[in-house]
Amino acid sequence: MAIAIRAKQGLTRRRLLARSASTIALAGLGGLVRPYLSRAADRPQIVCGIASGDVSAGSAVVWARADRPARMEVECSTIESFATIIRVASKEAQPDHDFTSKVLLEDLPPGQDIFYRVRFDDIASGIAGETQAGHFRTAPKDKSSISFVWSGDTAGQGWGIDPARGGTRTYRTMLENRPDFFIHSGDHIYADCPVPAEVKLRNGELWRNIVTEEKSVVAHSLAQFRGNYKYNLLDDNLRAFNAQVPMLAQWDDHEVTNDWSPIGTADETGYAEDGTSRLVQRARRAFHEFMPIRAIPDEAGRVYRKISYGPMLDVFLIDMRSYRDSTWNKRDDRGDTFILGPVQLAWLKRELAASGATWKAIAADLPIGLISEDAIALGDGPPERREHEIADLLSFMKRAGVRNTVWLTADTHYTAAHHYDPNRAVYEDFEPFWEFVSGPLHAGTWTPGKLDNTFGPRAMFQKGCSAEQGENLAPCFGLQFFGRVDIDGRSEVMTVTLKDVDNRDLWSIDIEPRPDARPARILAEHF
């Protein structure tokens, strides 16, 4: 793998036609409303902003939430003035989904800036509500340059929205980068971390949170889980970002509770007749209601999926929570252990082998080599327990000739670049690869953790809080992180840059793509 590490002064921003999200003073998308019906109290409101997600070359999901039973009407255009409408869609927002609604826009032109506008019509009266406009860019059909950002961990450890400190500033900084899309690596919310009105900082100052009833307690009820998402959407930065940048959402543990697993994580309500935790059921329902994620008919509530973003990139969003075993990751535990589960692992192998994209980004909610009782790595030595699944996957990719994979994750509340090499590893049956870690978006910052040598990782860069600063460092001290990926349309070189909340480039690398090693593709290229 040819690599070049270099410091950068800054990345060139891609010019974007869209302006920041705004409310358009229209009574309706396609017509006029009588003046006596235009009173604000009579009109359905969009109460949590708008969002798009799971964007591909020809489709995207659009999401919004109303303040009452209403029908969501969506129009989209390739022209910001909406002079020409190319697609329309609609769907009801009802109380059983907390008035959230999302539609799948299809048959969109590839490689285009798509402007969309959303309005709710009152179901009872037919009165048209306010209109808000947003933007996303569909994936290209050719090898055009693309960029995206990733991170995770929002409103954790009691650090909520402090308007006097700029709210969740990392979202504003990511928007300034004008990415094509955003991968949220999990912990969209901290359902198990209530937000107090005030937190005293180590320097004696006070952090003052916006507080709500549902975010003031550990979430158990469906309303409380929903309230966690609604709390985050009180932030102007997040709503502006959502309106302009489509999201590929996955989840981790705090969407439910700390270090949860499918069996063994429950509250006093226990388990349903099919053996599933009612607590997890409620958390999963709220997640899917508030995320612009497309439904997968094969399995209701499934999170893992593949999103193709042009011929140079496939994104594999995996779920390291829903199919794991329910034990701690300890050497003295016995029995079958897994973190992906056999069905998801088989799916990932199959999709990686079939991928025609130059780059395969595996978006994971947990790092591979960071020692943790909750994750994969146990410590130095040959593969044990959950490490067997990763060893199996890495060996499969080597045998199948799957190259140009990078792993992207968050979870650790610091940023790092890990290079895995069999020449440094106890387990050697794999090809070298990179894993990049970034976050938190807006939560407490930790010190870097310890890596084990099973797969030979080396921390080429890492930045978190210092021992002197102490764990759970508040967001106002600047150690909030995200990563940016750029793929050049001509050379297909992938540039990964680790950045902070103030948009400083902390570390960067260029990775050159290696020739495809899959036998069927090599044969096809020669005949």
Side-chain angles (χ1 to χ4, degrees), residues 205-345:
E205 296 179 1
L206 284 178
W207 177 286
R208 293 183 170 87
N209 287 309
I210 294 174
V211 292
T212 66
E213 180 180 351
E214 293 161 333
K215 188 59 186 163
S216 298
V217 295
V218 172
H220 287 276
S221 69
L222 179 57
Q224 289 165 345
F225 281 111
R226 289 166 168 170
N228 273 256
Y229 294 99
K230 287 185 280 190
Y231 178 85
N232 289 0
L233 290 166
L234 294 174
D235 182 69
D236 294 338
N237 300 314
L238 177 54
R239 292 198 310 275
F241 182 82
N242 283 348
Q244 293 299 318
V245 181
M247 176 168 55
L248 311 185
Q250 58 188 141
W251 70 349
D252 192 26
D253 56 337
H254 291 285
E255 282 84 4
V256 182
T257 191
N258 188 46
D259 297 345
W260 75 276
S261 56
I263 303 298
T265 298
D267 60 7
E268 66 278 1
T269 62
Y271 298 88
E273 292 183 1
D274 63 357
T276 58
S277 163
R278 289 191 171 93
L279 179 72
V280 175
Q281 283 180 349
R282 293 190 288 272
R284 187 184 299 272
R285 176 170 177 173
F287 173 81
H288 281 273
E289 286 175 340
F290 280 82
M291 290 296 109
I293 179 173
R294 66 179 69 201
I296 299 175
D298 294 344
E299 182 183 345
R302 197 175 99 180
V303 175
Y304 73 85
R305 62 205 187 279
K306 182 186 82 170
I307 303 294
S308 294
Y309 201 85
M312 294 194 299
L313 178 66
D314 279 345
V315 179
F316 302 86
L317 298 127
I318 61 176
D319 181 354
M320 303 172 89
R321 287 288 161 191
S322 300
Y323 312 99
R324 60 165 51 202
D325 66 88
S326 296
T327 63
W328 290 108
N329 194 34
K330 297 179 181 179
R331 281 193 166 103
D332 56 356
D333 285 338
R334 295 291 180 263
D336 294 334
T337 61
F338 39 85
I339 198 162
L340 298 175
V343 174
Q344 182 178 196
L345 180 60

Side-chain angles (χ1 to χ4, degrees), residues 16-24 29 46 49-52 61-64 73-82 105 112-119 131-137 175 178 239-246:
L16 189 65
L17 296 176
R19 301 187 183 99
S20 61
S22 61
T23 300
I24 299 175
L29 285 87
I46 298 173
I50 58 177
S52 65
V61 174
V62 169
W63 175 96
E73 304 287 348
V74 181
E75 294 179 336
C76 61
S77 174
T78 56
I79 305 170
E80 190 176 8
S81 67
F82 294 94
L105 297 172
Q112 290 284 320
D113 287 294
I114 304 296
F115 304 94
Y116 67 95
R117 57 188 182 187
V118 180
R119 163 195 98 208
T131 300
Q132 291 186 14
H135 160 272
F136 58 84
R137 184 171 180 82
L175 180 57
R178 299 298 181 187
R239 292 198 310 275
F241 182 82
N242 283 348
Q244 293 299 318
V245 181

Side-chain angles (χ1 to χ4, degrees), residues 35-69:
Y36 70 88
L37 293 180
S38 64
R39 293 177 302 167
D42 295 329
R43 300 167 60 196
Q45 302 295 307
I46 298 173
V47 291
C48 293
I50 58 177
S52 65
D54 282 11
V55 62
S56 67
S59 64
V61 174
V62 169
W63 175 96
R65 179 173 177 268
D67 64 344
R68 70 193 71 182

